Amino acid sequence: MTGSAARTGAVAPAGKAEEEFGPDGTRAMPVPLPPEAAPLKLLAELTNTPPPRQTLVRTIARRFKIWTPLVVVLAIVFVIVQAVRPLPSPSLKLTAASSFTFGGTPLPQSMPWPAEGQSVAEVEGLGSLGVHGAQTPVPIASVTKVMTAYVILRDHPLTGDETGPTLTVDAQAAAEAGNSDQSTAHVQQGQKYTERQMLTLLLVPSGNNIARLLARWDAGTQEAFVAKMRQAAASLGMTSTTYTGASGIESTTKSTAVDQLKLARVVMENSVFRSVVAQPNVTLPSVGRIFNNNNDLTNPGVIGIKTGSSTPAGGALMWAARKRVAGKQQLIIGVVLQQRGGGGTPDAMLKVALKRAQDLINSVQGGLTSATIVKKGEVVGLVDDGLGGKTPVVAGKDLSAVGWPGMRTGLTLTVGNGGLPHNAKAGTQVGTLSFGTGSARTTVPVVLQTDLKEPSFGKKLIRLG
């Protein structure tokens, strides 16, 4: 043995004589190559060509060749996806002033509000003119009959000129007709009247006997009917109201002006109710001509609603009036309760209530006015395409609205029923601009000032959201 093998006594395995051994007789281990050099080593072994020496430049070049095609594919996919993604939904935004205030001395502060009791007034669709007096539940006398009529018309609806079913005057209603301590309708047993005629007898001469007759007809007993009245009050949010009878003769029936205004709003939406309470007088079979005890009905624009008077209640009135402004009828409603000045009898206190309510009506009718809030062609908003594009929109007509001095109301910009397009020509209507609510709501079209165009390919490409 020779060499290192002889010196250590190690015997080289057959076929491995050329392998080197270390000084301690162990094989020398080759230095491991980096992972990325493994394919090159295999290629070198197959071609018997030594792999090239690994350098930073060669490593970067090799990785570039591997990753570049993948990056290109991903870039192409990204561009395609961005191009075909659904566009964000456009939005319509208000840029004009969001509210408008009518000039002049504020009307609510200048109105002749009663110094006693409770009072409240509003213009339908425009808002409240004010609430005066502590809203503590008080007796409301025959104003109660408004809820009685409301429940009857809810349970037995009438429309247009319909008269409804026929009711027969029973013995109790006939007997109560002679009660001089109450307001009654002078009917006799066996007489027949339609539902509409009975409502007239209830509301025009304020017949207590008719209120109880209608309650029995509807619910079997007055007690059962009162339960319906209470349920109806709760559904209307009249949280400070308690009904204990259908006529209002009971001093335990109590409410507030604010609560009664909630009822007035709803009941005045019924055309049959409105037609009945607006009658200054009416002639009915076997009864003759009867007069409404709301003397204010003789004044211009007054259309009801219901009086009430008693020693506990004082003078009370739920009232309604109209005023035509800028070609549109405006409905004014209000309530005054606990009016006592001018005398101690129920009739005298009712006259005071009527006078003070009429003063409020005159003030509101005189104060209602109109103004042009936005002129045709004025920029009021924009269409935002969601990718940075903004197209201005303008009023298609003058927006004129009704209000009173000091009144401030918001403007509302609303998208049309068909939604907003991505492309449209200038002049295309895309929404409406409105002021007020309900019957007082005024609306004009809103149109594009310039062409609305779909976002460009570049904007589609760079969007992130």
Side-chain angles (χ1 to χ4, degrees):
M1 294 186 287
T2 61
S4 61
R7 288 193 297 272
T8 61
V11 179
K16 297 292 185 177
E18 297 181 359
E19 289 192 52
E20 295 184 359
F21 288 81
D24 58 355
T26 60
R27 291 189 186 92
M29 299 302 290
V31 177
L33 295 172
E36 60 266 25
L40 297 176
K41 179 184 177 184
L42 177 60
L43 179 62
E45 290 176 350
L46 293 175
T47 61
N48 202 25
T49 302
R53 187 170 63 88
Q54 297 303 309
T55 66
L56 177 61
V57 173
R58 285 194 179 103
T59 300
I60 293 173
R62 184 167 56 251
R63 291 178 178 175
F64 180 79
K65 291 177 182 178
I66 293 172
W67 287 102
T68 296
L70 179 59
V71 171
V72 171
V73 171
L74 290 175
I76 293 172
V77 171
F78 174 78
V79 171
I80 294 173
V81 169
Q82 290 290 80
V84 300
R85 278 177 64 190
L87 291 170
S89 298
S91 59
L92 188 60
K93 299 179 179 179
L94 182 70
T95 59
S98 60
S99 63
F100 177 83
T101 302
F102 285 81
T105 303
L107 176 64
Q109 285 87 326
S110 63
M111 288 172 62
W113 297 102
E116 64 177 341
Q118 305 175 24
S119 51
V120 61
E122 72 177 31
V123 180
E124 184 187 38
L126 294 182
S128 173
L129 286 156
V131 178
H132 286 255
Q135 297 300 299
T136 303
V138 295
I140 59 173
S142 287
V143 174
T144 301
K145 295 183 177 75
V146 176
M147 178 58 84
T148 301
Y150 173 76
V151 174
I152 292 295
L153 284 168
R154 183 199 65 186
D155 293 353
H156 311 277
L158 299 177
T159 59
D161 295 329
E162 289 180 348
T163 58
T166 299
L167 288 71
T168 302
V169 176
D170 61 15
Q172 182 175 343
E176 291 173 351
N179 191 333
S180 59
D181 295 330
Q182 300 182 30
S183 59
T184 61
H186 300 296
V187 293
Q188 299 177 11
Q189 184 175 356
Q191 290 178 335
K192 297 182 182 299
Y193 295 97
T194 65
E195 178 186 344
R196 185 185 285 263
Q197 289 172 327
M198 283 291 187
L199 288 170
T200 300
L201 291 169
L202 171 74
L203 296 167
V204 175
S206 196
N208 286 359
N209 56 333
I210 302 301
R212 292 184 282 268
L213 172 60
L214 285 168
R216 293 191 297 273
W217 171 66
D218 176 82
T221 65
Q222 180 178 212
E223 291 72 24
F225 186 80
V226 168
K228 287 188 174 186
M229 296 172 73
R230 291 179 174 178
Q231 184 181 40
S235 69
L236 295 176
M238 300 169 65
T239 56
S240 298
T241 299
T242 302
Y243 289 106
T244 59
S247 68
I249 189 65
E250 302 85 359
S251 60
T252 49
T253 289
K254 295 182 178 182
S255 187
T256 64
V258 168
D259 266 13
Q260 289 302 304
L261 190 69
K262 295 176 182 178
L263 175 59
R265 279 190 211 116
V266 176
V267 78
M268 284 300 286
E269 294 175 359
N270 188 295
S271 61
V272 172
F273 179 88
R274 290 198 309 269
S275 67
V276 171
V277 298
Q279 301 174 100
N281 60 79
V282 63
T283 301
L284 292 177
S286 304
V287 177
R289 191 179 186 187
I290 50 179
F291 291 87
N292 198 315
N293 51 10
N294 182 357
N295 295 329
D296 285 352
L297 285 168
T298 60
N299 297 322
V302 178
I303 54 174
I305 301 175
K306 187 71 191 75
T307 60
S309 62
S310 68
T311 300
L317 180 67
M318 179 189 290
W319 54 265
R322 292 195 183 278
K323 174 67 182 296
R324 181 174 290 277
V325 183
K328 292 184 64 176
Q329 288 281 11
Q330 306 299 321
L331 177 64
I332 313 163
I333 55 177
V335 179
V336 293
L337 301 177
Q338 291 284 305
Q339 303 301 301
R340 298 184 177 278
T345 66
D347 284 346
M349 291 186 286
L350 177 57
K351 289 179 180 178
V352 171
L354 288 166
K355 171 65 169 60
R356 291 173 177 172
Q358 186 61 51
D359 289 342
L360 292 174
I361 292 170
N362 293 341
S363 178
V364 179
Q365 287 177 328
L368 286 176
T369 184
S370 65
T372 299
I373 298 173
V374 176
K375 293 183 178 181
K376 179 181 179 180
E378 184 177 338
V379 175
V380 295
L382 57 84
V383 175
D384 187 336
D385 65 12
L387 295 180
K390 302 183 189 303
T391 305
V393 296
V394 299
K397 296 180 180 179
D398 287 349
L399 175 61
S400 297
V402 175
W404 57 81
M407 188 186 86
R408 181 179 181 182
T409 301
L411 291 168
T412 304
L413 187 59
T414 307
V415 177
N417 293 333
L420 292 172
H422 291 290
N423 291 285
K425 294 292 185 182
T428 301
Q429 181 176 346
V430 293
T432 56
L433 184 68
S434 60
F435 180 89
T437 60
S439 63
R441 186 169 181 258
T442 304
T443 300
V444 297
V446 169
V447 302
L448 294 170
Q449 186 183 49
T450 59
D451 290 348
L452 175 64
K453 297 180 180 179
E454 185 176 296
S456 66
F457 178 76
K459 290 183 177 180
K460 294 179 185 179
L461 189 61
I462 63 175
R463 65 171 163 155
L464 299 177

